[in-house]
Amino acid sequence: MIRPFLALAFDVPRRMSRGKVFWIFAFLCLLTLCLAFALSVRKAESGKEYLTWFGQPDYPPPGFPPIRDELQDFLMQLFGFLTLYAGVLSGLVIFSDVATNAFAPGSAELNVPKPIHRGAIVAARHLGAVLMASGFALLEVGGAVTLTWLKTGVFVSEVLWVIPISILLFAVLHAVGTIGSLATQNAFFGVLMSIGAWVSSYGTDLLAKKLPALGAMKVLEHAGKFAGIAHRLLPRASDLRDLLDRLISGTFGSTWLVDRVETGGTLANPCRPRVYGRLESVSPRVHLVRNVVNSSVVIGERGVAVVDTQVNRAMARRLLAAVRAVTEKPILFAINTHYHWDHTNGNAVFQEAGATLVCGEKTKRFMAERAPRQKAFLASRGFSLGPDPELPRVTFDGSLELDLGGQRLRLTHLGTAETDDANAVHLPDEGLVCSGDTVMTGSFPIFGQPVMNEGLMDRSWLATLARIRALEPRAVLPGHGPLARAAELDLLERIEEFFLKEVGERVGRGLELTALLDDLERALPPWIKELAEVWGTPRYAALRVWRGLVNESEPGWQHRKPSAIPSADARAVSLKTASLDGPLAYASCAREAIEGGDVALAVAVAREGSRRFPGDARAWVALGRALMDGSRTAASVLEKGDFFVEAKASWERAQALDPAHGPAHLLEGQMLVMTAYRNGDDTRDGEVAVRRALELSLDSKDGARAKFLLGLAARTRGDEKAALAFFQEAVAGDPSLFPARLALG
């Protein structure tokens, strides 16, 4: 059935004159632009304008429903199809004609062997198609830039030079690489293709960084989705599929490129090799090791002190290696600034290395009394915490001075900050303070654990910051984020003052929690909205202050927090699922919704599938996958936990129903491996689950996904050779598995 369509869509236009092709190209170009403008601007009830692409609102005001109806759905699909079709059609017609004439066998201009003639013709046709399609994708981004300029007066001038230059370089490198690869099968030309894809991705990466809230990411995601349809429209030559995959993963981007955790909202390759812990010199004798959590390394004449021992034992061993990279002196002390697991979990590693563990008396007590509740909460957020931290044997009440030999350390209990045991290490000979989580920089602070009654509940944290300022340090080594100076301390205090004032006023007016959050979030100033979200969020800050002003028996506010999992319109879900007749149909529908960027619909459809087929493991796996995929839309690491909790329950239910169901074990392995990769943790539990899935029944796509996860586990361990081998197996099993291609790139 597909052959007549292909003939009509591509073979007939190829016989048209260039003039007709040009006018078709111009008409479709104008039509897509008009549709883009027609679908892009909507006005919220609050009167604030915002952009929507493909009917998906980008951060709509609270209470404002997504704008979707049948007509708009039709226009969205038409827009995407015309964008793809116009690019592919134009590329096939124009480039095929040029290639056939320029590289014809026997041409006087090219006296080369016949295989290269054929390779050049095929490559030029295919390259032309994908280049024109990518041009339309960039045209859509240009529409976003234009709309931004018309509505806000802000024009991203970089688009005038970055996009043309990156496309030009891409075209040259990709053309040479493609022709050479097809004609000679030489690996060198494949390298050129990869370089071309990387060059072109720089342009879209820059745009997404410059337009984080203006729909640019949404455009790139959907352009990638529609470009993926080319697998079903274009001829099924293996070289074309490979070229399309490379181009899509490099230029168009995909949902896998939107990794907002470590990057603070910018595009990054989430499958890249990672450096777990960067050592930054603050002075010749003091270094800051930055990772998920910071550690400080202080060097004296007699030995070394390490402040905070990292998030897990694997990271502690990397920290130990970083210390050994700068000095061979013995490690005399390992100091915990407070009881939180991410600052104490490496204690055993440093004790084994000969260090004396030191902390405040409160910290040691809280490690025994409060840490278990915190550990249970964080385990539900997707963190594999391992054994409990080793308890320090040396403690102090108030203060303690240590001497490393010409390097004094004054350990002081400052009061209350993120925790009630906020200690600091003052280095008077350096003019520095290691603050622990009393100071956090680089992203929105986390003002206290959601399940504990401590943190920003009153003005105590501000008083603790004042005590740090009184030490007059030239810089502060924070618990999270880059080095802090006066400007960073000013910002932290400004944030705290804002939420204490604004939440307090709303509680005083008698607003209930939901109304309070809605009202406050509408009134957030730009300087707060612009802060990257990694751990804390403005909502978390509001909840923390609110909890300090109300009386409840349950500690913390996690039980009162609105879920990060978005809700879908019940009528839309009912219409979508009315004709579905089995768990696989529900799974397919949920997957399509995820690919379209509608997480709420995907989760709702999968939930309905598990409700209708509660005894079928496949339905629960579909729900778990929708939740895991949807978790990427949550900026905060802790907010992702709302998805992880339900996903974990889903695969456990699937495994209970059918212990031999491979995809259920694969889903478990996915979460364990991905969290280990994120935190630099031990990957063994995840690998066990993935290998168990491989031993059971997996289809080809799940088999490829399993190989990808094993590659990611090897990359986490630092075994890059094994990682690349697994990634290559994954791509061979499923050429459309973008994460594996990104990992190879």
Side-chain angles (χ1 to χ4, degrees):
M1 294 177 63
I2 194 69
R3 289 183 179 275
F5 173 75
L6 286 174
L8 177 64
F10 299 109
D11 292 337
V12 172
R14 199 156 49 231
R15 295 182 175 87
M16 295 180 182
S17 67
R18 286 197 186 183
K20 289 183 179 179
V21 171
F22 172 79
W23 287 113
I24 291 174
F25 178 87
F27 171 73
L28 292 176
C29 175
L30 180 61
L31 182 58
T32 52
L33 274 181
C34 290
L35 284 172
F37 276 82
L39 293 175
S40 293
V41 182
R42 290 290 185 273
K43 185 166 289 191
E45 292 174 344
S46 63
K48 296 181 179 179
E49 293 180 345
Y50 65 102
L51 301 176
T52 68
W53 287 91
F54 300 93
Q56 296 287 338
D58 194 13
Y59 307 114
F64 188 75
I67 305 169
R68 298 187 67 88
D69 53 44
E70 292 182 4
L71 175 60
Q72 194 170 30
D73 281 340
F74 171 75
L75 290 176
M76 287 187 289
Q77 298 300 324
L78 178 63
F79 180 38
F81 176 76
L82 287 178
T83 299
L84 174 67
Y85 178 72
V88 172
L89 170 63
S90 303
L92 280 175
V93 174
I94 297 174
F95 280 74
S96 178
D97 186 31
V98 172
T100 302
N101 288 298
F103 305 131
S107 169
E109 290 78 13
L110 288 176
N111 185 20
V112 291
K114 183 178 287 188
I116 297 184
H117 293 154
R118 294 173 179 169
I121 294 172
V122 174
R125 277 191 60 214
H126 295 168
L127 182 63
V130 291
L131 272 178
M132 300 300 279
S134 67
F136 269 94
L138 291 171
L139 184 65
E140 295 164 14
V141 178
V145 174
T146 304
L147 282 168
T148 303
W149 173 61
L150 291 174
K151 294 296 177 183
T152 67
V154 177
F155 186 74
V156 184
S157 58
E158 287 88 343
V159 73
L160 297 177
W161 60 272
V162 171
I163 295 301
I165 291 176
S166 64
I167 286 294
L168 178 62
L169 290 174
F170 162 75
V172 173
L173 292 171
H174 231 67
V176 174
T178 305
I179 294 171
S181 292
L182 293 174
T184 69
Q185 303 300 313
N186 192 303
F188 167 75
F189 293 103
V191 174
L192 282 183
M193 293 171 67
S194 297
I195 294 174
W198 178 83
V199 169
S200 65
S201 70
Y202 177 79
T204 51
D205 180 62
L206 177 66
L207 281 178
K209 289 178 180 177
K210 292 292 183 181
L211 303 172
L214 299 174
M217 285 186 182
K218 196 73 68 177
V219 173
L220 293 176
E221 291 174 25
H222 282 278
K225 173 192 172 185
F226 284 115
I229 300 172
H231 288 301
R232 297 187 289 275
L233 295 182
L234 291 174
R236 295 269 182 175
S238 60
D239 55 307
L240 175 59
R241 290 204 307 272
D242 181 68
L243 180 57
L244 276 169
D245 283 336
R246 287 178 182 272
L247 182 65
I248 293 166
S249 64
T251 303
F252 290 137
S254 71
T255 53
W256 277 84
L257 287 177
V258 186
D259 180 21
R260 299 175 64 90
V261 178
E262 288 80 11
T263 62
T266 63
L267 289 179
N269 183 342
C271 307
R272 65 196 182 281
R274 294 193 176 191
V275 177
Y276 296 101
R278 298 189 304 274
L279 189 143
E280 301 175 357
S281 295
V282 181
S283 78
R285 301 192 300 169
V286 179
H287 307 277
L288 181 66
V289 178
R290 292 188 55 201
N291 186 49
V292 174
V293 60
N294 291 344
S295 296
S296 300
V297 179
V298 185
I299 303 172
E301 294 174 2
R302 294 192 301 108
V304 179
V306 171
V307 181
D308 290 331
T309 60
Q310 276 299 314
V311 66
N312 52 55
R313 295 189 180 188
M315 272 307 310
R317 286 188 283 272
R318 292 186 179 97
L319 173 60
L320 180 59
V323 174
R324 288 291 166 249
V326 294
T327 180
E328 289 296 328
K329 293 180 179 180
I331 302 175
L332 303 178
F333 305 104
I335 303 164
N336 300 140
T337 58
H338 59 294
Y339 75 90
H340 277 177
W341 64 281
D342 53 334
H343 295 256
T344 62
N345 261 15
N347 281 2
V349 171
F350 285 93
Q351 183 168 270
E352 292 169 1
T356 298
L357 303 181
V358 183
C359 71
E361 288 186 5
K362 272 190 176 182
T363 298
K364 184 174 182 178
R365 187 170 78 250
F366 289 172
M367 286 173 71
E369 296 174 357
R370 298 190 180 185
R373 179 177 174 84
Q374 186 208 22
K375 180 177 181 178
F377 165 70
L378 290 167
S380 74
R381 306 290 96 179
F383 290 92
S384 179
L385 304 182
D388 290 341
E390 195 73 27
L391 294 178
R393 296 181 181 178
V394 175
T395 63
F396 63 92
D397 183 13
S399 63
L400 173 69
E401 183 159 323
L402 304 173
D403 191 350
L404 301 177
Q407 182 77 279
R408 294 169 295 164
L409 285 74
R410 292 175 180 168
L411 285 61
T412 305
H413 174 61
L414 295 176
T416 296
E418 188 198 16
T419 61
D420 292 337
D421 63 332
N423 301 300
V425 180
H426 181 210
L427 310 177
D429 301 311
E430 302 282 348
L432 300 170
V433 170
C434 305
S435 68
D437 284 356
T438 298
V439 177
M440 290 174 270
T441 63
S443 62
F444 197 94
I446 176 73
F447 285 119
Q449 288 293 302
V451 293
M452 310 299 292
N453 279 348
E454 57 185 1
L456 189 64
M457 302 179 71
D458 52 33
R459 299 187 66 82
S460 299
W461 196 326
L462 289 165
T464 302
L465 287 172
R467 296 186 188 103
I468 288 181
R469 285 186 182 272
L471 299 173
E472 299 182 349
R474 62 183 179 85
V476 174
L477 285 71
H480 299 267
L483 197 68
R485 292 185 172 82
E488 287 74 24
L489 296 178
D490 291 344
L491 177 60
L492 179 59
E493 291 175 344
R494 186 184 180 192
I495 295 171
E496 294 187 5
E497 292 280 9
F498 174 86
F499 282 96
L500 288 169
K501 175 178 178 292
E502 297 296 329
V503 175
E505 286 182 355
R506 286 165 174 79
V507 170
R509 298 205 311 261
L511 291 181
E512 293 296 325
L513 180 58
T514 301
L516 184 153
L517 293 174
D518 289 346
D519 184 59
L520 178 60
E521 288 170 349
R522 279 196 295 267
L524 288 176
W527 65 271
I528 288 217
K529 293 180 180 179
E530 291 168 359
L531 295 173
E533 297 176 8
V534 177
W535 292 89
T537 69
R539 173 165 287 194
Y540 276 27
L543 285 162
R544 168 53 62 205
V545 176
W546 169 84
R547 185 62 185 83
L549 298 172
V550 300
N551 292 318
E552 288 193 348
S553 58
E554 178 77 11
W557 45 262
Q558 179 66 23
H559 60 291
R560 298 293 302 271
K561 182 187 76 69
S563 175
I565 303 174
S567 299
D569 178 71
R571 180 174 175 273
V573 175
S574 178
L575 290 172
K576 199 74 174 177
T577 59
S579 60
L580 302 181
D581 57 1
L584 293 181
Y586 279 87
S588 178
C589 184
R591 185 168 56 251
E592 289 176 2
I594 283 288
E595 290 174 353
D598 197 337
V599 172
L601 180 61
V603 173
V605 167
R607 278 178 178 159
E608 180 63 15
S610 66
R611 187 190 68 79
R612 291 191 59 184
F613 304 97
D616 196 314
R618 295 173 298 178
W620 292 100
V621 168
L623 175 56
R625 284 183 172 171
L627 289 160
M628 290 292 289
D629 290 338
S631 69
R632 291 195 292 268
T633 62
S636 164
V637 175
L638 297 181
E639 283 285 76
K640 292 176 184 292
D642 289 356
F643 294 85
F644 294 158
V645 169
E646 191 174 343
K648 184 173 185 290
S650 298
W651 80 61
E652 288 176 344
R653 180 69 177 272
Q655 290 176 5
L657 289 169
D658 183 0
H661 189 56
H665 295 276
L666 181 61
L667 191 61
E668 177 184 9
Q670 177 184 344
M671 179 171 171
L672 293 175
V673 169
M674 293 299 292
T675 53
Y677 170 69
R678 179 184 66 194
N679 300 324
D681 207 345
D682 194 323
T683 61
R684 282 177 291 185
D685 290 344
E687 289 180 89
V688 168
V690 173
R691 293 188 186 279
R692 170 65 174 155
L694 282 169
E695 293 171 359
L696 300 170
S697 178
L698 291 178
D699 63 22
S700 61
K701 286 186 175 293
D702 278 346
R705 185 179 299 190
K707 294 294 185 180
F708 163 72
L709 291 172
L710 290 176
L712 214 56
R715 177 161 282 178
T716 305
R717 297 193 309 270
D719 188 350
E720 194 63 17
K721 182 178 179 180
L724 293 174
F726 279 124
F727 295 144
Q728 287 166 352
E729 286 187 62
V731 171
D734 180 8
S736 66
L737 186 61
F738 293 152
R741 289 192 173 279
L742 292 172
L744 283 171

